[in-house]
Amino acid sequence: MTTSPTLDPTGRPIARARPRSHIPVFPFDPVPRPRLHAGLDAVVERRHGGVLLVCGAVGVGKTVAVADWAATHLPRVRPDARIAWLTVRDQTALWPELRSRLGVRAAGSGQPAAGVGEADSIRTALAAGAEPTVLVIDDAHLITDPLALAGLEYFLQYAPPTLTTIVCARFEPPIRWHLLQLQSRLTRWSAHDLALSAEEAARLCEGHDCGLDPQALHTLMNLTEGWAALVRIAAIYLTASPSENADALTALARPPHAFADLLVGELIDTLSPALRHFLTCTSVPEEFTEQLADDLVGGGAAHLLYELDRINFPMTSLSRGGKVWYSYHPMLRAYFLAEANRLGPDLCADLHLRAARRLTATGELQAALTHLLAVPDHRPLGSFLAENALALVFADHGESLFDALAAAAPDVLTDPFLRLLQATDALLHGGSGTAQAYRDSARILADDDPHSVAGPYRLETLTAAVDAELAVATGADTEPIVFPDRMPPADRPDLDGYLAVTTGTALALRGELARGEERLRIALSRTRSRCHPRLRLIAVTRLAVTAGLAGSITTMRQRAERACAIARDHDLLDLPETVHATALEAYGAYLQGSDPQPEQIRILCAEHIRRDGTPGPVAGWLPHVVGSLLDCQCGDDRSAAVDRLRRSIGRLLDADPAPVLGGGLLSAAVWALLGANESAAARRLVERGRTVLGITPDTVLSTAALTSIGGNHHAVIGQVEPVLTQPATHPVARITAWLLYARAHHHLGNDAKTREAVDNALRIGATHRIARPFFDVPGTVDLLDYYAGCFGHCSAFADSVRAGHRSRRRVQHPPLTATELRILQQLPSGRTTQHIADDLSVSINTVKTHLRGIYAKLGTRSRMETLQEARRSGLL
């Protein structure tokens, strides 16, 4: 059993209730509430006539908390304070009893017996003394007489600084509390402030020999929300129950007699019939708005909600989506829900349908589904699913949707449209095998009974969309699939948008980039209205993919950035599509020579437990490969990043179907392995790539990279020449091919062909702002240094590549002084030493001295060697 402190600072016993104070005594030991005690202490310490208004329904612990503080805590921390307690019983005796509690003599015959005059008399008497006083007025809601209320308002407003007043009531007495608030003298406590914490509730239960494990305690707190009287009744009930705590707590969801007696006798019986009817109808939804309440009761909800708020009925409100949502305490809702059920199934079904219609109209689809599942007639449920089930799937509620249907309406799941929705949900989570099984089941169901709750148009449209997405996910041949030249007119944005997304993706991946791009743009336009943002995110991400496949790297980055912005705006950061968009944005930046952000690498390399219980990347191995590749370039632990890259690209190539690797990703991984001196791993990767992907420009260039590192330059030329003659080749591959070609001819001494190849690579790179191949192919930047200033309109791009590579070079010579650097920058002009001296307004001997310093630091012996070394090291 828990006990309250009973000794004062000198060790003498403290009486539980001192005769003068009239503090209530309880048949139980209150649970210690240090948080509330600290709050009460803070009010008393202000010493400016402070007022604490404590409002809450019956049993929330107002009187117990204040009485325990006043009887056991306050005498220890403030032994000089006088305590007076008045529990309102008879309004006519309010002022005489208040005088008695405060020890104030009766007013003279010239003073009025009640109202403001009596209050002023007591206030004047208190102001004459210096003794700090705490006055508690309990059950103040019973004060209804206008004269008594006027006197109370005057007394609180003009109380002396030595008086602290605590007013406890079930609801606020109708006086002008805002006057005290404007003076910063009022503190308010509600039932939320008085609610027991989980630790306090556990301590209370232990006091009744009822120990609860964490799960049972969590259930108890959900049922009672810390309402002190309900927690105590629950503890007594659980102690007396012979069953396990879990079973007994389940039974508490339907209030036992002890709960009902408390709620009915002290709270519900005081309500008017109109309020009880309102509470019965509005208990059907778990939460409701004023508009929903109007639909349920037929109007007048605003006035009834005001009345409930005025009497401080246990009800919470929160703002969401621009609307105020109300909800009742779980125990009260359970009581009134039982009342609604007793009114008959027809009325309950009608209330559920009204709630479902309003919730559907406001976009609260999950809540609407809960109500439709409670209606025995499944026809409204079928209509709802035909219109809104796809939106629930895109909102990532597919699993809960199908679980709820399996439990409450299994017959609906035998509809082919629902089977196709299950296939769509599986595809969104990467389960192509599961999706194929649902698609086959839908085909069988449609053959047996072609009728569907969705109608023929929706069924045909969703079938075409699922077939296209399955073909993409499984790598099946899309040639047999016939795509209409024109999309049907927009009718249902979610469904039509999904069809445009899936068919556009399939067209793009089979090489019809123009048609695929057009179809995806249609999808984007149709998903801008009344669609879940995830579908818009998918459309923009796949538009970024088509741009990447077409070689428009800048456009790919811009679209990927837009997709990531959609994900941020709509809190979709954990979705696979967001990870794919991040991969496209990061890889585009990588190709254009920018360093990736650490947060992007973290997102791409993150892993989780998949639905089948196995660990794996969040969005498949392709983004994981991109993240590992980027980590190899700028991560702190390059060795670990290389190991992760080797593992992830191996898993990607082992995937079924074979991946579509564009943008030179395979050759980029090969260059990363070669840069880490992992030649054997690079060779195995190239062999595996050729086996899985066949002969593609990427596999050819990966092979040429190994050949080039091996020094067989004649073979490199033969390997890359076929790639150079294919105009439709991706620009990354064409740049890489030209650079390998240039490197080979440079080593063979063919200066003209070297220069031509570098020019061609720069021209393509400048068009698409692609810089990465210049960093990957060894010796490329040295060639740019050697030919610096000779690239015509591509010179600016060449200089940006050299500048971007400068931070990656290791300069071995000492740094140049500012004057030496100025002279060095004059050398490419070809001006004589005298001309340079004239330009800088120094003597020719000074220039010669600085030139000797430059030669010594760079380790060169002539102007030509100095220019070459300066360009190699990034000084020019």
Side-chain angles (χ1 to χ4, degrees):
M1 299 286 287
T2 57
T3 58
S4 298
T6 58
L7 299 178
D8 68 11
T10 66
R12 294 192 300 269
I14 297 175
R16 288 295 300 170
R18 288 178 286 184
R20 276 188 61 200
S21 67
H22 293 81
I23 300 174
V25 181
F26 305 101
F28 53 83
D29 288 321
V31 175
R33 308 291 300 276
R35 174 177 56 85
L36 297 185
H37 290 179
L40 287 161
D41 290 344
V43 174
V44 173
E45 289 296 330
R46 290 181 184 176
R47 292 194 177 185
H48 65 321
V51 177
L52 173 63
L53 176 61
V54 185
C55 287
V58 59
V60 297
K62 306 180 296 294
T63 303
V64 174
V66 177
D68 183 47
W69 169 80
T72 65
H73 180 78
L74 184 63
R76 294 200 313 273
V77 298
R78 290 296 303 276
D80 61 327
R82 181 169 53 136
I83 304 170
W85 188 290
L86 171 62
T87 300
V88 177
R89 293 288 182 266
D90 182 4
Q91 295 184 78
T92 60
L94 174 64
W95 300 110
E97 287 190 12
L98 190 56
R99 284 182 175 277
S100 173
R101 301 294 189 274
L102 293 170
V104 177
R105 292 183 180 182
S109 58
Q111 295 290 340
V116 174
E118 183 72 3
D120 184 59
S121 173
I122 297 174
R123 181 199 68 80
T124 303
L126 289 174
E131 183 181 13
T133 302
V134 176
L135 170 63
V136 181
I137 303 177
D138 197 13
D139 285 345
H141 59 278
L142 297 177
I143 304 174
T144 57
D145 178 68
L147 285 177
L149 289 169
L152 177 62
E153 179 181 305
Y154 180 87
F155 179 78
L156 294 176
Q157 186 174 354
Y158 296 103
T162 56
L163 178 67
T164 300
T165 308
I166 301 173
V167 180
C168 299
R170 294 188 184 179
F171 49 86
E172 294 182 4
I175 65 176
R176 293 177 296 177
W177 295 101
H178 65 276
L179 297 176
L180 293 170
Q181 205 155 11
L182 290 173
Q183 300 171 10
S184 300
R185 292 174 52 218
L186 178 65
T187 303
R188 295 176 183 270
W189 282 6
S190 65
H192 175 75
D193 300 297
L194 294 165
L196 295 174
S197 67
E199 294 76 11
E200 291 166 344
R203 194 175 296 119
L204 187 152
C205 292
E206 290 170 2
H208 289 276
D209 299 324
C210 172
L212 298 180
D213 59 52
Q215 182 59 44
L217 180 62
H218 179 72
T219 303
L220 177 64
M221 292 302 293
N222 284 341
L223 287 172
T224 64
E225 293 186 348
W227 193 336
L230 298 184
V231 173
R232 191 173 297 280
I233 293 172
I236 297 170
Y237 176 82
L238 292 173
T239 303
S241 174
S243 61
E244 294 293 331
N245 280 342
D247 297 333
L249 283 168
T250 302
L252 284 178
R254 298 186 64 184
H257 290 300
F259 285 170
D261 291 345
L262 172 68
L263 298 175
V264 173
E266 298 291 339
L267 185 63
I268 297 173
D269 274 350
T270 63
L271 301 173
S272 67
L275 283 177
R276 293 190 64 165
H277 175 71
F278 178 82
L279 289 164
T280 301
C281 293
T282 53
S283 67
V284 171
E286 187 173 347
E287 56 180 1
F288 60 91
T289 62
E290 182 182 319
Q291 294 77 14
L292 175 54
D294 275 332
D295 291 345
L296 293 171
V297 301
H303 172 71
L304 295 170
L305 284 169
Y306 170 79
E307 282 296 307
L308 290 174
D309 181 64
R310 186 186 64 80
I311 64 174
N312 202 31
F313 189 81
M315 177 175 65
T316 58
S317 62
L318 60 89
S319 178
R320 188 178 72 244
K323 294 182 173 61
V324 178
W325 292 84
Y326 301 91
S327 61
Y328 301 130
H329 187 281
M331 290 293 187
L332 286 169
R333 180 174 179 250
Y335 175 87
F336 284 107
L337 196 55
E339 288 288 305
N341 289 329
R342 279 193 284 270
L343 295 178
D346 292 341
L347 175 62
C348 283
D350 181 59
L351 290 173
H352 281 297
L353 285 174
R354 292 186 188 189
R357 282 195 293 269
R358 170 60 65 176
L359 291 168
T360 301
T362 57
E364 301 287 333
L365 300 182
Q366 280 187 289
L369 175 65
T370 301
H371 291 287
L372 290 170
L373 291 172
V375 177
D377 184 0
H378 288 165
R379 286 176 296 180
L381 173 63
S383 300
F384 171 84
L385 293 174
E387 291 287 345
N388 302 291
L390 187 60
L392 284 170
V393 169
F394 278 114
D396 206 26
H397 300 315
E399 186 174 10
S400 59
L401 165 67
F402 301 126
D403 287 346
L405 291 175
D411 56 302
V412 176
L413 282 176
T414 60
D415 189 284
F417 185 75
L418 269 297
R419 282 286 193 268
L420 290 171
L421 285 173
Q422 288 176 301
T424 302
D425 182 60
L427 286 167
L428 288 173
H429 289 89
S432 56
T434 304
Q436 186 64 63
Y438 282 129
R439 173 66 184 96
D440 294 340
S441 175
R443 185 181 294 109
I444 294 171
L445 290 171
D447 290 341
D448 293 341
D449 184 2
H451 296 93
S452 169
V453 296
Y457 172 78
R458 287 192 181 96
L459 185 62
E460 292 173 6
T461 302
L462 187 57
T463 300
V466 169
D467 286 345
E469 190 74 350
L470 264 175
V472 171
T474 60
D477 185 11
T478 58
E479 291 298 332
I481 303 177
V482 178
F483 299 107
D485 290 333
R486 301 176 64 85
M487 285 289 297
D491 180 29
R492 297 164 182 85
D494 278 327
L495 188 55
D496 294 332
Y498 185 49
L499 176 64
V501 164
T502 56
T503 55
T505 305
L507 286 167
L509 291 182
R510 79 178 185 186
E512 299 183 45
L513 292 178
R515 289 186 65 195
E517 172 97 6
E518 178 189 8
R519 192 66 58 89
L520 287 168
R521 287 184 176 278
I522 292 173
L524 184 59
S525 66
R526 294 188 179 181
T527 56
R528 285 196 177 107
S529 63
R530 295 189 297 118
C531 283
H532 191 273
R534 182 176 187 177
L535 189 54
R536 189 159 67 254
L537 169 64
I538 295 173
V540 178
T541 301
R542 297 191 180 182
L543 276 169
V545 171
T546 60
L549 292 174
S552 302
I553 305 302
T554 300
T555 303
M556 179 185 78
R557 285 185 67 182
Q558 292 171 345
R559 291 175 177 176
E561 289 171 0
R562 182 180 173 191
C564 291
I566 292 172
R568 286 191 297 271
D569 292 343
H570 297 280
D571 196 21
L572 303 176
L573 296 176
D574 295 332
L575 293 181
E577 292 82 12
T578 305
V579 180
H580 281 286
T582 303
L584 291 168
E585 180 184 358
Y587 190 59
Y590 172 82
L591 290 176
Q592 294 188 330
S594 302
D595 289 330
Q597 301 173 12
E599 178 64 15
Q600 291 177 323
I601 297 175
R602 186 194 64 78
I603 292 172
L604 298 177
C605 294
E607 298 189 13
H608 71 149
I609 302 300
R610 294 175 292 197
R611 280 189 170 185
D612 60 3
T614 61
V618 174
W621 287 106
L622 186 58
H624 201 272
V625 168
V626 173
S628 302
L629 177 64
L630 302 182
D631 203 18
C632 288
Q633 304 301 319
C634 64
D636 295 331
D637 190 348
R638 304 291 177 89
S639 176
V642 169
D643 289 340
R644 186 164 55 249
L645 173 62
R646 187 167 51 240
R647 178 176 66 94
S648 60
I649 198 165
R651 295 293 297 271
L652 178 63
L653 292 173
D654 289 340
D656 185 21
V660 178
L661 294 183
L665 188 58
L666 178 65
S667 58
V670 170
W671 286 119
L673 292 174
L674 290 173
N677 296 320
E678 295 277 353
S679 301
R683 191 171 301 280
R684 289 193 297 270
L685 176 59
V686 171
E687 292 172 355
R688 180 65 179 154
R690 284 201 301 261
T691 302
V692 172
L693 305 174
I695 304 301
T696 68
D698 207 10
T699 58
V700 169
L701 294 175
S702 298
T703 304
L706 291 174
T707 307
S708 177
I709 295 299
N712 191 346
H713 303 297
H714 287 288
V716 170
I717 294 171
Q719 289 169 341
V720 302
E721 278 182 337
V723 178
L724 300 177
T725 59
Q726 298 176 13
T729 303
H730 196 279
V732 173
R734 292 167 61 202
I735 295 170
T736 305
W738 278 117
L739 293 178
L740 285 169
Y741 189 79
R743 184 175 190 269
H745 278 294
H746 175 70
H747 281 282
L748 295 174
N750 299 327
D751 187 69
K753 289 187 175 295
T754 301
R755 171 66 187 278
E756 178 188 5
V758 172
D759 283 341
N760 288 333
L762 282 172
R763 186 176 63 255
I764 301 169
T767 301
H768 300 281
R769 309 302 301 173
I770 297 173
R772 188 69 218 180
F774 294 90
F775 302 157
D776 285 339
V777 179
T780 297
V781 179
D782 292 338
L783 294 176
L784 296 183
D785 292 339
Y786 184 79
Y787 297 116
C790 304
F791 297 117
H793 68 279
C794 292
S795 291
F797 176 71
D799 290 341
S800 69
V801 171
R802 294 171 58 237
H805 195 258
R806 185 177 301 158
S807 61
R808 298 172 172 83
R809 311 184 195 197
R810 291 188 177 181
V811 179
Q812 303 295 332
H813 53 72
L816 302 183
T817 66
T819 304
E820 289 172 342
L821 187 59
R822 289 176 63 194
I823 293 174
L824 176 65
Q825 292 169 347
Q826 295 287 329
L827 297 185
S829 66
R831 299 172 68 79
T832 66
T833 305
Q834 183 63 58
H835 289 152
I836 295 174
D838 293 340
D839 289 343
L840 298 179
S841 301
V842 297
S843 69
I844 189 171
N845 289 331
T846 299
V847 174
K848 290 179 178 179
T849 300
H850 286 303
L851 281 174
R852 286 194 295 270
I854 294 171
Y855 293 167
K857 290 180 178 180
L858 300 187
T860 58
R861 292 173 296 180
S862 65
R863 280 197 178 196
M864 183 60 67
E865 288 183 8
T866 300
L867 288 173
Q868 290 177 351
E869 176 60 23
R871 287 167 177 157
R872 186 199 67 78
S873 59
L875 292 172
L876 288 176

